[in-house]
Amino acid sequence: MAEATQSNAELLEWPKKDKRRFLHAVYRVGDLDRTIKFYTECFGMKLLRKRDVPEEKFANAFLGYGPEQSHFVVELTYNYGVTSYDIGTGFGHFAISTPDVYKLVENIRAKGGNITREPAPVTGGISVIAFVKDPDGYIFELIQRPSTPEPLCQVMLRVGDLERSIKFYEKALGLRVVKRADRPQQKYTIVMLGYADEQETTVLELTYNYGVTEYTKGNAYAQVAISTDDVYKSAEVVNIVTQELGGKITREPGPIPGLNTKITSFLDPDGWKTVLVDNEDFLKELE
């Protein structure tokens, strides 16, 4: 037993040593071309790649602010004939940082975009933010920052037990808390988890609303993908952590048939999905 505990302790160090970054967020849209047009014209994203798989009746597109080799991107999935999805109450928003939120909002408004919160400082703070809804109803927070290597900077999800979720993401994925904000007046707490400081990278933002322990997942948002040097070892770690904190592995580690990219996937204790993708395989796929 002591030996098993020892090897588990060593294994749990792996995520901190591993070469990890956020690769993409995957979600479903009702009209691929409409969303591509909105993201390129309103948000200034670039269309990086697009593929149609008629035999499986779906198409997808990757958009972002730089090459996938180095940037976080969105992967949009269009399933033939499905024009709308239920976003649910658990998914929060994506975020984009920009040097001038006011200017970006004016551009989005001019193109017919739906501004759900006008640009202004955050409650009790100085950062200027705004909120915009895309054509499918996904919310994007716009954050004013002088400059950043990663404009597509947040994925926000709501969780029912914040301390449990923090522990899960620290242990299972090697993420670290880079910021925490308690807002007792507004009855919520947020934490940002990342592989580097908030200004430099994409973070996972978890929101806990006082007293709310469950949310609906809907069928719109799918998952985030994160890179790893070893999907097998990473899955072993996740397996240990799910036994302690909940969640489960939904895909055992191994290559995707026909693509040969090695992946593993799992759900966190709230049911949010993460896919871990082999670093080398991912780069080969991009070639």
Side-chain angles (χ1 to χ4, degrees):
M1 187 63 202
E3 279 172 24
T5 313
Q6 171 66 30
S7 65
N8 276 5
E10 277 171 30
L11 201 51
L12 288 168
E13 287 301 305
W14 164 246
K16 297 187 194 86
K17 299 173 189 161
D18 195 9
K19 207 169 113 202
R20 298 197 173 188
R21 68 179 185 90
F22 285 92
L23 301 176
H24 44 254
V26 184
Y27 52 104
R28 302 170 185 99
V29 298
D31 179 335
L32 200 53
D33 292 329
R34 175 184 68 183
T35 303
I36 291 170
K37 187 179 187 335
F38 189 85
Y39 287 8
T40 52
E41 291 182 2
C42 293
F43 293 152
M45 288 187 196
K46 297 178 185 76
L47 175 61
L48 301 165
R49 56 181 170 135
K50 189 177 173 185
R51 60 182 177 199
D52 195 7
V53 189
E55 58 275 16
E56 290 180 41
K57 295 193 167 59
F58 82 91
N60 60 11
F62 295 79
L63 296 98
Y65 292 99
E68 287 179 73
Q69 285 85 345
S70 54
H71 284 70
F72 183 62
V73 307
V74 294
E75 177 182 344
L76 310 174
T77 301
Y78 168 69
N79 292 301
Y80 289 14
V82 185
T83 57
S84 71
Y85 292 92
D86 167 25
I87 291 175
T89 57
F91 175 79
H93 61 254
F94 300 109
I96 295 169
S97 67
T98 175
D100 190 340
V101 166
Y102 297 93
K103 193 173 153 190
L104 183 57
V105 165
E106 282 322 304
N107 176 52
I108 295 167
R109 202 192 314 275
K111 302 240 170 30
N114 179 2
I115 316 298
T116 59
R117 181 199 191 272
E118 292 295 331
V122 293
T123 313
I126 52 166
S127 306
V128 173
I129 63 162
F131 282 96
V132 175
K133 214 176 241 193
D134 84 354
D136 287 274
Y138 291 101
I139 291 173
F140 281 77
E141 180 179 2
L142 310 175
I143 304 170
Q144 192 152 299
R145 282 184 189 160
S147 77
T148 172
E150 187 46 86
L152 192 56
C153 58
Q154 280 175 14
V155 177
M156 190 276 260
L157 304 171
R158 299 182 179 97
V159 297
D161 179 337
L162 191 59
E163 300 314 319
R164 177 185 67 182
S165 295
I166 291 169
K167 209 183 270 187
F168 183 88
Y169 282 102
E170 284 177 338
K171 285 184 154 181
L173 284 169
L175 285 161
R176 61 184 173 87
V177 174
V178 294
K179 181 183 173 181
R180 182 180 181 128
D182 292 297
R183 304 254 190 274
Q185 276 81 26
Q186 288 87 22
K187 295 190 167 56
Y188 73 85
T189 300
I190 58 164
V191 297
M192 309 284 185
L193 293 137
Y195 292 113
D197 289 339
E198 193 196 353
Q199 310 286 335
E200 297 165 22
T201 182
T202 302
V203 297
L204 178 64
E205 176 181 354
L206 302 179
T207 298
Y208 169 68
N209 291 301
Y210 292 10
V212 186
T213 57
E214 278 185 35
Y215 294 94
T216 61
K217 294 289 169 304
N219 59 0
Y221 170 79
Q223 70 230 19
V224 287
I226 290 174
S227 64
T228 173
D229 278 341
D230 188 336
V231 295
Y232 299 97
K233 208 188 249 189
S234 297
E236 277 184 70
V237 172
V238 173
N239 207 22
I240 295 167
V241 178
T242 56
Q243 286 167 35
E244 181 199 347
L245 298 166
K248 64 174 184 191
I249 292 204
T250 51
R251 189 193 176 105
E252 291 297 333
I256 301 169
L259 200 57
N260 292 328
T261 299
K262 292 184 286 298
I263 67 164
T264 185
S265 69
F266 61 89
L267 302 180
D268 79 355
D270 287 274
W272 294 117
K273 187 177 174 187
T274 299
V275 178
L276 288 163
V277 183
D278 181 275
N279 267 315
E280 280 186 21
D281 293 350
F282 179 69
L283 293 174
K284 273 184 210 146
E285 203 185 305
L286 293 178
E287 284 164 15

